[in-house]
Amino acid sequence: MRPSFIAKELGTGLRRNLTMTIALVVSVAVSLTLFGTALLMRTQVERMKGYWYDKIEVSIFLCGPNSTAVTCTGTVSDEQRAAIQAAIQGLTPTVQSWYYEASAQAYERFKVQFKGSPIIANVSPYALPESFRVKLDDPNHFETISSVVSTMPGVETVQDQRKLLQRFFTILHGMQTVALGIAIAMLFVTVLLVMNTVRIAAYARRRETSIMRSVGASNMSIRLPFILEAVTAAVLGAGVAAGIMLGLKQYVIDQRLAPSMSYIAFVTWDDVLAVLPWLFAAGVGTTVLAASFTLRRYLRG
Amino acid sequence: MIIFDHVSKEYKHSNRPALNDINLTINQGEFVFLVGSSGSGKSSLLRLMVKEEKATEGSIEVDGINVGKLRNRKVPAFRRNMGIIFQDFRLLPTKSVFDNVAFGMEVIGKSRKEIRERVPEVLDLVGLAGKEKRLPTELSGGEQQRVAVGRAFVNNPKLLLADEPTGNLDPATSVGIMKLLDRINRTGTTIVMATHDVAIVDQMRKRIVQLDRGHIVRDQERGIYGEMAQ
Ligand SMILES: Nc1ncnc2c1ncn2[C@@H]1O[C@H](COP(=O)(O)OP(=O)(O)OP(=O)(O)O)[C@@H](O)[C@H]1O
Ligand SMILES: [Mg+2]
């Protein structure tokens, strides 16, 4: 068939089935937006992991005058401190870098962190313990250092910041799974809608198709208009979804969230652009499959 | 052109065969009437020829092709050698007369140039010159059937099958359609036409194949339908 004839038939088909076409476009747009968001959430979590894990330290707090841990006998002595430092240094390359923070420094940092809060008045410069701050080559190697240091005299506790983050990431992973689940459910709904739309279209045009068959049109050319209609709707829907995602990046992430949450690394434009081809692929792919499957059943020669 | 060799057709959910041991040969260029009472198997015979149905037994050859062994994939190409006309015209209601006739060429990929040349020729042949812009609803029944004949004939098929083409038309209009089919037949196109219309069959004096409950009970050159009715 000539392309111009196909295009004309396509226009007629889409217009005749306008309400179903609109329903299809909207449904594809919604499900693909969810699908794309789910994909981006994945990237977002990975980015945050990278950002935070990079900043994670192991804090080895040393005994102060009021410490009650079994490894403590009053404030840490100079020999104990030296021994701990030697142990830390002995653990390279697992220990990437380290520094010592005295009580006074801890207090300075505390004042900066809680600037303007009345809590500062209640904390004396000596109440905060001195500590070694250790950065590991991999945050997952916490046990390596903890097993060596935590039982040494003069060490009150060894704190793993990763633990705090992990709880947070568990929640994020959960949200991610839920989003993906919803996206898949929506894609499934879209598939059903495509099948129904194609079936209705095939029924509405059974006269045309029977005439086409009787004059010897090939199966492909009988099915092609239906598939093209569904694909057109899918491409429109994917386009809308792509627009929504770009809009979310521009107006929600970049203009609203990012300025007020500078400690979170948000998905970049490249991340968003990388997801868009998948939207079109998923939209067109599922639609073509659903339409072909339906036509096999309802347009049998 | 067409050879039926011991062909039987039994539909599912049916207790007797629609066609029973049919042997029939139709030569290139013939004009054959298929007659017989309702349910005798006329439409079934036509459907077997275009592979709309499959024979339960026996073999059918159309234009040198064994229809039973024809791959599904090849059925469309096979059907391009034949035109089919139905009692209910089967026109596309949203397309003009010209586009309805052109449709037969469009779907098999003919070029715009070929279509512009051929369709007016055919419209002239079927007597619809000057009405190409009308929609089917703006035509009489006889004119609609002429459009259908035009569409069936537009690709110059070797074989034209017609299932009660005059079934919905009054006698005078029917005569017009029959003259048209006769003219097409004279171009060398084989025509097989199923009909109940005694007057037409008697008037045309063509070969008559009569069916009764799935059997051929008569096959006569230049026959008269009326004779058997008595
Ligand atoms: N699709 C079908 N499924 C089951 N039985 C069928 C089917 N089509 C036809 N039959 C049966 O086959 C027999 C022959 O039917 P057919 O349509 O060939 O008759 P016909 O001679 O064309 O009749 P009419 O003059 O009324 O059109 C009938 O008994 C009919 O009930
Ligand atoms: Mg019939």
Side-chain angles (χ1 to χ4, degrees):
Chain A
M1 284 188 282
R2 277 182 296 113
S4 62
F5 181 67
I6 295 177
K8 207 175 109 202
E9 295 292 303
L10 179 61
T12 316
L14 287 175
R15 243 176 296 120
R16 185 160 31 176
N17 240 338
L18 193 62
T19 47
M20 280 309 275
T21 306
I22 292 171
L24 200 55
V25 171
V26 172
S27 165
V28 169
V30 170
S31 61
L32 287 182
T33 304
L34 280 172
F35 183 65
T37 309
L39 289 181
L40 269 188
M41 270 181 80
R42 225 186 156 68
T43 321
Q44 178 67 58
V45 170
E46 290 310 315
R47 282 220 171 274
M48 285 165 85
K49 257 190 190 160
Y51 181 82
W52 286 107
Y53 274 13
D54 220 37
K55 298 198 161 27
I56 284 179
E57 294 168 340
V58 174
S59 307
I60 302 163
F61 292 106
L62 306 182
C63 300
N66 304 321
S67 298
T68 53
V70 289
T71 45
C72 290
T73 48
T75 305
V76 61
S77 70
D78 289 348
E79 294 80 41
Q80 286 173 339
R81 193 182 299 115
I84 295 164
Q85 181 177 329
I88 292 169
Q89 280 167 327
L91 280 171
T92 36
T94 305
V95 170
Q96 208 178 53
S97 62
W98 64 274
Y99 64 92
Y100 169 76
E101 189 179 69
S103 288
Q105 287 167 319
Y107 181 68
E108 289 307 314
R109 206 157 57 92
F110 180 80
K111 276 204 296 194
V112 172
Q113 268 176 359
F114 291 90
K115 206 168 154 203
S117 165
I119 199 171
I120 295 177
N122 299 327
V123 176
S124 87
Y126 305 103
L128 294 168
E130 54 187 297
S131 63
F132 284 105
R133 301 294 171 126
V134 175
K135 188 141 163 35
L136 301 177
D137 59 345
D138 178 342
N140 296 315
H141 288 163
F142 172 73
E143 291 306 327
T144 316
I145 186 158
S146 142
S147 64
V148 173
V149 177
S150 61
T151 50
M152 289 180 79
V155 173
E156 182 171 22
T157 85
V158 181
Q159 194 192 64
D160 184 9
Q161 293 180 341
R162 191 190 48 158
K163 277 235 174 67
L164 302 173
L165 282 180
Q166 262 171 351
R167 187 133 20 86
F168 178 59
F169 282 128
T170 308
I171 295 170
L172 281 185
H173 276 298
M175 281 165 61
Q176 204 180 321
T177 310
V178 169
L180 200 63
I182 294 173
I184 288 170
M186 271 306 298
L187 276 182
F188 182 67
V189 169
T190 306
V191 164
L192 293 184
L193 197 64
V194 168
M195 290 172 73
N196 208 34
T197 309
V198 169
R199 205 182 43 159
I200 290 170
Y203 182 77
R205 270 182 275 167
R206 61 198 184 286
R207 180 185 271 276
E208 260 117 321
T209 50
S210 92
I211 294 166
M212 286 173 97
R213 249 198 300 281
S214 73
V215 298
S218 65
N219 277 334
M220 194 54 223
S221 62
I222 292 173
R223 289 174 192 175
L224 193 65
F226 295 98
I227 294 180
L228 283 182
E229 273 174 48
V231 166
T232 306
V235 169
L236 286 177
V240 172
I244 293 175
M245 308 248 347
L246 292 175
L248 286 177
K249 167 69 179 150
Q250 170 73 27
Y251 296 106
V252 178
I253 294 184
D254 283 4
Q255 291 189 4
R256 307 226 155 208
L257 298 180
S260 57
M261 292 189 233
S262 54
Y263 46 89
I264 292 182
F266 284 104
V267 286
T268 63
W269 280 101
D270 280 349
D271 293 336
V272 177
L273 292 179
V275 165
L276 300 188
W278 291 107
L279 294 191
F280 283 89
V284 172
T286 48
T287 310
V288 168
L289 284 181
S292 311
F293 176 78
T294 314
L295 290 171
R296 276 188 101 75
R297 278 188 61 189
Y298 288 94
L299 281 189
R300 205 163 278 169
Chain B
M1 180 77 195
I2 301 167
I3 302 166
F4 277 70
D5 185 16
H6 296 286
V7 173
S8 296
K9 172 67 189 174
E10 203 161 333
Y11 289 103
K12 269 181 232 163
H13 318 295
S14 158
N15 42 14
R16 71 172 181 84
L19 292 170
N20 200 338
D21 198 28
I22 299 288
N23 289 297
L24 175 67
T25 301
I26 296 172
N27 294 315
Q28 176 71 49
E30 267 195 285
F31 194 128
V32 180
F33 283 117
L34 280 180
V35 300
S37 54
S38 193
S40 58
K42 305 182 293 294
S43 298
S44 300
L45 200 71
L46 293 178
R47 282 203 292 269
L48 286 179
M49 286 188 217
V50 298
K51 208 174 177 180
E52 215 174 285
E53 295 283 352
K54 215 168 171 321
T56 321
E57 260 168 68
S59 75
I60 304 165
E61 199 184 297
V62 175
D63 196 20
I65 288 164
N66 186 327
V67 178
K69 290 201 176 125
L70 189 66
R71 296 293 200 89
N72 276 336
R73 199 158 40 81
K74 302 220 162 144
V75 169
F78 166 71
R79 286 192 186 147
R80 290 176 195 184
N81 288 321
M82 49 185 76
I84 310 174
I85 306 164
F86 305 91
Q87 178 173 356
D88 58 357
F89 319 139
R90 302 212 186 159
L91 300 179
L92 300 169
T94 56
K95 287 188 189 293
S96 69
V97 167
F98 185 98
D99 287 343
N100 262 287
V101 174
F103 192 72
M105 299 178 80
E106 295 279 11
V107 297
I108 64 171
K110 288 284 163 70
S111 75
R112 194 190 295 258
K113 181 165 168 290
E114 286 173 294
I115 291 170
R116 273 211 214 102
E117 273 171 21
R118 175 65 178 156
V119 174
E121 251 172 56
V122 172
L123 285 177
D124 205 36
L125 175 81
V126 299
L128 288 173
K131 292 181 176 152
E132 43 278 276
K133 291 224 172 72
R134 295 215 202 159
L135 291 176
T137 47
E138 298 163 350
L139 297 174
S140 72
E143 286 168 332
Q144 288 185 47
Q145 192 60 295
R146 283 168 189 273
V147 177
V149 172
R151 184 181 62 207
F153 187 62
V154 75
N155 292 322
N156 261 316
K158 286 189 192 156
L159 173 64
L160 198 71
L161 302 176
D163 197 351
E164 305 192 32
T166 59
N168 283 346
L169 305 176
D170 67 41
T173 317
S174 300
V175 169
I177 294 289
M178 291 318 296
K179 279 192 179 146
L180 176 57
L181 291 181
D182 196 32
R183 186 146 13 116
I184 286 172
N185 176 234
R186 280 198 225 124
T187 67
T189 303
T190 311
I191 296 186
V192 181
M193 168 172 159
T195 185
H196 284 293
D197 198 327
V198 178
I200 279 179
V201 176
D202 288 354
Q203 196 178 357
M204 297 282 289
R205 291 291 176 130
K206 300 286 188 188
R207 180 177 170 189
I208 293 180
V209 172
Q210 183 166 0
L211 291 168
D212 182 28
R213 279 164 285 182
H215 292 277
I216 292 182
V217 293
R218 175 164 72 139
D219 185 348
Q220 192 175 24
E221 292 297 327
R222 304 183 168 283
I224 293 180
Y225 195 5
E227 264 169 29
M228 277 307 280
Q230 286 140 24

